[in-house]
């Protein structure tokens, strides 16, 4: 069974089943290419984005072409869970200079999302963007200040965690 077939057969709920799919397919040469292809619009996005996140959380990396392909697919992510998984991957996926505007646009749209998890991780995405590209730091700081006044408590908690990090303090408190 191909990776795409396995994702299509997954019920979308079972953590043990998606982990089994990962174990069965993560060692194949086409694993990451298949995941990136599966981020295209369709029913495979949630499973593919979860598998990609799990892959990166297991200390695997992607090359610049793969990263570029993922960032170019952001506008195709239709399901909130797929968007959330990719937002959670951003700290593990360096943003190439050519992708900054695409990522910025995606993050801006996520800040306006009705889902507070999406918004919380979009703020985190802006932090990551600002860490790599200092020109985003003033606006990111403004976003954080506004969010600490207006956002849901869970979003505020995420931002406070970021602001307490040594990376934030080193980069933003100078």
């Amino acid at each position: 069974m191909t990776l795409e077939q396995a994702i299509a057969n997954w019920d979308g709920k079972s953590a043990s089943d998606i982990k089994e799919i990962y174990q069965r397919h993560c060692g194949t040469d086409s694993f990451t290419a298949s995941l990136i292809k599966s981020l295209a619009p369709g029913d495979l996005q949630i499973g593919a984005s979860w598998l990609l996140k799990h892959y990166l959380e297991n200390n695997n990396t992607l090359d610049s072409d793969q990263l570029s392909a993922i960032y170019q697919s952001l506008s195709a992510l239709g399901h909130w869970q797929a968007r959330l998984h990719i937002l959670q991957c951003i700290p593990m996926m360096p943003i190439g200079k050519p992708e900054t505007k695409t990522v910025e646009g995606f993050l801006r749209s996520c800040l306006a999302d009705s889902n507070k998890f999406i918004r919380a991780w979009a703020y985190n995405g802006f932090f990551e963007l600002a860490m790599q590209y200092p020109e985003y730091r003033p606006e990111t700081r403004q976003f954080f200040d506004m969010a600490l006044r207006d956002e849901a408590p869970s979003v505020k908690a995420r931002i406070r965690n970021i602001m307490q990090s040594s990376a934030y303090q080193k980069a933003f408190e100078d």
Side-chain angles (χ1 to χ4, degrees):
M1 178 182 311
T2 68
L3 176 59
E4 291 88 348
Q5 290 169 326
I7 296 171
N9 291 338
W10 176 54
D11 68 3
K13 296 177 182 147
S14 172
S16 62
D17 287 352
I18 194 77
K19 286 177 184 174
E20 185 179 313
I21 292 169
Y22 177 83
Q23 290 303 320
R24 243 182 304 143
H25 294 275
C26 71
T28 64
D29 291 339
S30 62
F31 182 69
T32 54
S34 294
L35 290 181
I36 294 167
K37 181 180 169 196
S38 297
L39 293 175
D43 296 336
L44 304 181
Q45 283 185 347
I46 297 169
S49 60
W50 188 96
L51 290 166
L52 179 65
K53 180 175 172 272
H54 194 67
Y55 176 79
L56 292 169
E57 289 171 340
N58 280 285
N59 297 316
N60 293 295
T61 59
L62 301 167
D63 66 34
S64 60
D65 290 339
Q66 292 169 320
L67 292 168
S68 180
I70 291 167
Y71 286 132
Q72 295 308 316
S73 75
L74 293 176
S75 64
L77 298 175
H79 195 278
W80 74 269
Q81 286 177 309
R83 289 194 309 275
L84 179 62
H85 294 151
I86 297 302
L87 285 165
Q88 291 170 330
C89 289
I90 289 176
M92 300 170 280
M93 298 188 325
I95 303 164
K97 188 68 172 165
E99 285 76 50
T100 56
K101 291 298 180 190
T102 301
V103 173
E104 177 189 359
F106 174 69
L107 294 173
R108 285 183 189 285
S109 71
C110 289
L111 285 180
D113 199 283
S114 62
N115 186 305
K116 61 186 168 195
F117 297 113
I118 298 291
R119 292 195 312 275
W121 282 96
Y123 287 111
N124 192 81
F126 266 107
F127 168 68
E128 294 294 334
L129 186 62
M131 292 304 295
Q132 293 175 57
Y133 299 95
E135 63 266 29
Y136 287 98
R137 288 180 187 169
E139 187 175 27
T140 298
R141 184 178 286 164
Q142 288 177 337
F143 283 150
F144 284 12
D145 290 343
M146 288 186 302
L148 289 172
R149 285 191 310 268
D150 303 329
E151 274 288 3
S154 58
V155 176
K156 289 178 184 179
R158 180 82 196 119
I159 292 170
R160 280 193 295 274
N161 285 342
I162 294 167
M163 293 176 81
Q164 290 171 357
S165 73
S166 60
Y168 179 89
Q169 292 180 10
K170 200 180 267 188
F172 285 78
E173 301 299 326
D174 49 353

